[in-house]
Amino acid sequence: MTSGTDKAFDVVILGGGVNGAGLFRDLCEQGVDCLLVDKNDFGSGTSAAPSRLIHGGLKYLETGEFGLVAQSTLERNLLLRNAPHLVRPLPTIIPIFSWTKGTGAALRTFFGAKSAPRSRGVVLVKIGLALYDFYGSRSKVMPRHSLWRRAAALRKLPALTPRIVAACKYYDAKVTAPERLVWELIRDGLAANPGSEARNATSLEGQRDGILAFEAPDGAAFTVRPGLVVNAAGPWIDRVNRLLGISGKLIGGTKGSHIVLDHEELARQLAGRMIYFEADDGRICLVYEYLGRVLVGSTDSPADDPDNVRCEDEEVDYFLDSLRRLLPGLAFDRAQIVYAYSGIRPLPASDGTAPGLISRDHSAPFAAPEAGRPFPVISLVGGKWTTFRGFAEEVADSVLERLGRKRRISTRELPIGGGRDYPADEAGRRRWVTDLAKETGLPAGRVETLLERYGTTAAALLREEASAEEPRFLDDVPDVSHAEIAWIARNEAVVHLGDIVLRRTTLAVTGRLTAHDLDTISRIAGTVLGWSEGRRRSELDETLDTLRRRNLAPL
Ligand SMILES: Cc1cc2nc3c(=O)[nH]c(=O)nc-3n(C[C@H](O)[C@H](O)[C@H](O)COP(=O)(O)OP(=O)(O)OC[C@H]3O[C@@H](n4cnc5c(N)ncnc54)[C@H](O)[C@@H]3O)c2cc1C
């Protein structure tokens, strides 16, 4: 396995989810040469399966995890500034069914009981939201919470159950394209340090005597000599550690699913707001307007096979029944589902605690070098999408210390991807749109659409679109151009067709993709990436199969 040609990297990061990508960007910014490897696509694991909330974790107040809430609200506020193209405020409504219920149960949970309250009254929710406002006041960007009386709540959301006694409104945030944001972190890292590399669709085969062996997408084997390894494989962490010769169980994952509905009336009534509600079993669920559709989630049950998770029939029934009880003024059925997704929360292995109460805090256990493995391994366990930057900062600091290097730059105020030079206000936005429309000769509306979708990265896409002889658009999604797809295929580390429709764009998750357009996209990508007709067909078949089988897409 060893040879004189093994390439050396200061750090090898195994796993390109948000935690691996966040750490990669941070270390690259400090001048550390890193190799980031993912066996599938970047951002294709749990990082593609969240509720898409960038949130302080209101419910963690119940378990007394004040430190986690403080960190999460701060990170939420920072992301609203650093990635304003993809992270946006999310006004949130909590329907409340009693005035005082749940206070005693919440106190028991707070003091360590392994079950959650089944119902939370106005008093309890108000106390929680006052604390939440307090923790969210650092780098504050959004208003405080408010209480709606029953009549006002029903006026604003007529479909809501009349069983409520009141509702509270507060602000959190959402990330419209988490998969894309993961890629943008990686692209920023590569730009910051040309000595670093990132490879997707590349599997770790094993390690011997300090040399890691990989297989590239074309089947070629290559080897690498790491100074230090970070295992950022999320729910696969224990498997990757075994490949590195480390035994033990760090992860006790729980599975969570979501469905996306095409439901115009509900989307209209939600008007950009989320309802954060208790299902009948006391679990917290959510429903919000998401890019013109409605996102509903999530379930929480023990599971440990991250390669084969999908939203099962009983989860769909659970969601639809919960919606029917919450919004009796509207009709719900399976035919409204345009997409579904599932993932495994890489939570720390724990005892009999209810899944919803297992801590979402993170840790980074360290495995010292040993005979046959001369490099140390740090595993990134747990955490939330929201807190990836803070987690990366902590781990990067400890890596820098081990390498005897100093931090050059903080990531706290560092914009991400298309968030760089993003217009700060409405006037700046109008200027940006006018300037690009003038430069490219494209309509202002088109510039606006791409700014919304890609942030300031849109400038490069617009220039490509403007240089096409005659701009062409997808037949069924006429706001996506052929040039847009070609630019992504050429510039965004695309290996497979699914990378484009599932992760670099929101075509699949919003249920806008048709089989006809997928065929067109495969032809554009095939031309850019030099696919044979056989390869193009197998990419098409595989992507269709994934979308139909795993994502319940009606294609
Ligand atoms: C249902 C659900 C809802 C959630 N909702 C939210 C939310 O709303 N807000 C929030 O902040 N957080 C949320 N989370 C949590 C959040 O999504 C995760 O904490 C986060 O995405 C974990 O990222 P990760 O990088 O550790 O893991 P992953 O994203 O799973 O990344 C691990 C990567 O390792 C790769 N890998 C695996 N094996 C190998 C190998 N042998 N070699 C190389 N690479 C390998 C995988 O392909 C994968 O890309 C939710 C999670 C779930 C499941």
Side-chain angles (χ1 to χ4, degrees):
M1 210 185 253
T2 52
S3 87
T5 58
D6 304 320
K7 196 160 175 186
F9 286 92
D10 298 324
V11 177
V12 171
I13 302 171
L14 302 169
V18 73
N19 283 327
L23 180 64
F24 179 74
R25 173 186 76 145
D26 196 335
L27 288 173
C28 288
E29 292 285 353
Q30 316 314 327
V32 175
D33 291 345
C34 300
L35 170 68
L36 173 70
V37 172
D38 199 292
K39 70 169 182 165
N40 295 320
D41 189 20
F42 306 126
S44 63
T46 309
S47 298
S51 301
R52 295 166 190 256
L53 301 183
I54 297 299
H55 65 149
L58 180 61
K59 65 181 175 185
Y60 311 137
L61 289 173
E62 236 161 42
T63 39
E65 295 179 276
F66 296 128
L68 180 58
V69 176
Q71 188 190 16
S72 307
T73 45
L74 172 66
E75 294 297 336
R76 175 196 69 193
N77 295 352
L78 294 177
L79 268 171
L80 280 160
R81 288 167 195 217
N82 294 333
H85 59 313
L86 299 179
V87 178
R88 312 227 167 101
L90 180 62
T92 300
I93 311 297
I94 305 183
I96 312 175
F97 296 89
S98 77
W99 288 94
T100 53
K101 266 192 182 163
T103 316
L107 278 173
R108 284 193 293 281
T109 307
F110 183 82
F111 286 111
K114 290 179 177 178
S115 63
R118 283 182 66 91
S119 178
R120 297 153 183 96
V122 175
V123 174
L124 187 57
V125 174
K126 280 285 287 175
I127 294 171
L129 287 175
L131 276 168
Y132 204 57
D133 283 340
F134 168 75
Y135 282 112
S137 56
R138 280 191 296 167
S139 298
K140 182 172 185 293
V141 274
M142 296 183 298
R144 295 170 64 82
H145 81 274
S146 55
L147 182 72
W148 287 355
R149 296 198 168 272
R150 179 174 180 275
L154 291 175
R155 217 173 24 252
K156 288 175 175 142
L157 272 161
L160 202 56
T161 170
R163 288 190 294 118
I164 57 164
V165 299
C168 273
K169 180 182 177 191
Y170 71 103
Y171 282 82
D172 251 326
K174 64 184 171 190
V175 51
T176 51
E179 308 83 355
R180 199 176 158 79
L181 201 52
V182 169
W183 157 247
E184 292 191 0
L185 285 165
I186 295 169
R187 187 175 57 196
D188 287 355
L190 291 168
N193 183 354
S196 288
E197 290 177 28
R199 297 184 181 226
N200 45 355
T202 298
S203 320
L204 173 70
E205 300 295 298
Q207 87 85 33
R208 200 188 314 152
D209 301 329
I211 304 296
L212 297 175
F214 294 98
E215 191 182 312
D218 61 2
F222 68 97
T223 51
V224 161
R225 193 158 16 91
L228 181 151
V229 168
V230 175
N231 179 350
W236 292 267
I237 279 182
D238 290 332
R239 296 177 192 196
V240 167
N241 270 343
R242 276 198 294 280
L243 285 173
L244 298 171
I246 301 168
S247 56
K249 184 167 167 60
L250 295 174
I251 298 292
T254 75
K255 175 190 167 193
S257 298
H258 292 82
I259 54 175
V260 180
L261 303 179
D262 177 4
H263 198 309
E264 267 182 42
E265 178 52 23
L266 178 53
R268 197 187 61 73
Q269 288 201 25
L270 287 169
R273 296 175 293 222
M274 171 165 90
I275 309 179
Y276 198 51
F277 66 102
E278 280 165 16
D280 266 17
D281 58 357
R283 286 211 56 253
I284 306 275
C285 291
L286 53 90
V287 50
Y288 67 95
E289 190 264 319
Y290 170 73
L291 299 175
R293 304 299 200 196
V294 174
L295 179 67
V296 189
S298 65
T299 46
D300 203 345
S301 51
D304 59 4
D305 182 7
D307 288 306
N308 292 301
V309 278
R310 47 164 269 155
C311 182
E312 303 295 343
D313 283 351
E314 56 271 22
E315 292 176 287
V316 170
D317 290 341
Y318 174 80
F319 289 138
L320 296 180
D321 286 347
S322 302
L323 287 174
R324 286 181 192 118
R325 272 192 281 272
L326 177 74
L327 300 155
L330 296 171
F332 295 95
D333 66 65
R334 280 169 181 262
Q336 294 159 339
I337 298 174
V338 292
Y339 194 82
Y341 61 87
S342 303
I344 300 226
R345 298 176 180 85
L347 302 177
S350 80
D351 51 17
T353 307
L357 293 184
I358 300 171
S359 173
R360 265 52 173 176
D361 212 346
H362 54 248
S363 64
F366 177 83
E370 57 182 33
R373 178 177 47 79
F375 54 80
V377 178
I378 300 176
S379 299
L380 307 190
V381 176
K384 305 190 323 153
W385 219 107
T386 308
T387 47
F388 78 85
R389 192 210 62 88
F391 193 8
E393 188 174 67
E394 284 167 31
V395 176
D397 283 343
S398 104
V399 169
L400 288 170
E401 198 180 317
R402 283 177 201 286
L403 297 176
R405 311 263 280 264
K406 288 236 168 325
R407 176 171 284 281
R408 290 186 193 163
I409 167 174
S410 165
T411 53
R412 199 170 156 135
E413 312 284 333
L414 203 62
I416 303 171
R420 191 163 299 109
D421 302 324
Y422 194 79
D425 51 24
E426 200 35 50
R429 192 183 173 91
R430 273 200 302 276
R431 235 183 352 265
W432 199 94
V433 170
T434 316
D435 288 353
L436 258 291
K438 202 147 129 205
E439 180 196 323
T440 58
L442 294 169
R446 179 67 187 151
V447 176
E448 185 78 49
T449 300
L450 292 204
L451 177 63
E452 187 80 4
R453 200 173 283 162
Y454 303 106
T456 50
T457 307
L461 283 125
L462 289 160
R463 288 181 189 121
E464 169 125 349
E465 201 164 297
S467 69
E469 270 175 27
E470 190 195 335
R472 294 182 63 193
F473 293 85
L474 296 181
D475 290 335
D476 300 319
V477 190
D479 63 9
V480 173
S481 72
H482 288 204
E484 196 176 331
I485 299 294
W487 190 91
I488 289 170
R490 190 172 311 113
N491 295 291
E492 299 208 319
V494 168
V495 177
H496 294 296
L497 180 60
D499 303 347
I500 299 176
V501 297
L502 286 151
R503 288 171 288 276
R504 305 299 181 271
T505 69
T506 53
L507 275 166
V509 66
T510 52
R512 299 201 304 157
L513 187 66
T514 60
H516 169 75
D517 278 349
L518 187 63
D519 185 80
T520 308
I521 295 169
S522 75
R523 289 176 197 282
I524 301 168
T527 306
V528 172
L529 299 171
W531 290 343
S532 65
E533 178 56 14
R535 166 80 188 270
R536 186 190 74 79
R537 287 210 148 276
S538 71
E539 290 285 341
L540 191 57
D541 291 346
E542 215 165 284
T543 308
L544 274 171
D545 180 58
T546 302
L547 288 168
R548 287 172 180 152
R549 201 174 33 82
R550 287 191 69 174
N551 304 119
L552 312 183
L555 284 174

